[in-house]
Structure formats: C-alpha cells, structure tokens
Amino acid sequence: MTTEAQREGQFRVLLRMQINPGMEADFEKVWRGSTEAVTGHPACLGQWLSKSADEESTYYIVSDWVDEPGFREFETSDAHLAHRERLHPYRSQGSFNTMTVVAHVPGKADTDAR
C-alpha cells in the first residue's frame, strides 16, 4: 500500500486521446490487452483508463511513475513504441502532459475504507 508521503514526488503522465468515432470498443479492448507494456516496467506504479463523460470518443490515460527518469526510460523503450503503435490506429488526435505530484489529500471515502 502506498502511503501519502510516498505519493508526493511521483511522476504522473496524462494522455488525452480522441478516438475515431465508432472505434471506441475496439480501442478499449486493445488498450486492456496491452497494458503489460506499460505496467510491466519497473518504474510504473499503475495506469488508469477513463472515458470522458462530457466529450464524445474521448479518453484519458493516467499513469504514475516512481520518478521522471524512470518514465523517460520507458518512453524511449521498444516496449513503449510497440504499445503506441497498437493504439495509434484508433486515435484521431490527443495531447500529452507530465507533472509531479506535490500533494495528495485522501477523501473521506478513502480514509473510511482503511
């Protein structure tokens, strides 16, 4: 289990992908079937796929990393390039943002579950 102090300083990547209309189910299937390419990297802490509630055919992929150098190592790996190629046919456009977690404050539901 990750403590709150351990979350601070993690490196986070946010990818926004607009998927070609009508290809959403196939995209989700391919994404689910290829997550090991990302989560199998020793610096990866986890990955999430979310579908926008506000924008048609738009997904957000979030991944957390131990640190930026670990992510950058993955980013230039053959595994990443192959993973990106598998997802590319579904994507019409997107954006990519990186950040460092500076604070995490758990909500009541999270603290009540502990």
Side-chain angles (χ1 to χ4, degrees):
M1 179 182 281
T2 304
T3 67
E4 303 318 311
Q6 289 170 317
R7 290 180 196 266
E8 294 176 12
Q10 290 177 355
F11 194 69
R12 181 165 288 168
V13 176
L14 171 64
L15 175 62
R16 179 182 180 274
M17 291 182 69
Q18 287 181 269
I19 303 304
N20 293 313
M23 299 182 80
E24 296 88 352
D26 289 338
F27 164 73
E28 289 180 28
K29 182 178 178 181
V30 169
W31 186 88
R32 288 174 195 270
S34 63
T35 58
E36 175 62 26
V38 179
T39 58
H41 190 278
C44 183
L45 295 167
Q47 186 179 41
W48 298 260
L49 176 66
S50 302
K51 187 173 184 181
S52 176
D54 302 315
E55 298 174 275
E56 290 289 322
S57 306
T58 300
Y59 289 81
Y60 294 91
I61 300 170
V62 176
S63 59
D64 282 349
W65 300 83
V66 172
D67 55 24
E68 184 175 0
F71 168 72
R72 298 300 177 189
E73 177 186 288
F74 165 74
E75 186 179 36
T76 59
S77 70
D78 290 341
H80 176 249
L81 296 175
H83 177 68
R84 214 172 67 192
E85 279 195 28
R86 282 191 292 277
L87 299 178
H88 186 73
Y90 303 96
R91 178 179 150 165
S92 63
Q93 57 181 295
S95 63
F96 175 81
N97 299 91
T98 60
M99 60 206 78
T100 301
V101 176
V102 295
H104 174 259
V105 180
K108 182 161 177 51
D110 186 42
T111 56
D112 286 351
R114 293 178 191 201

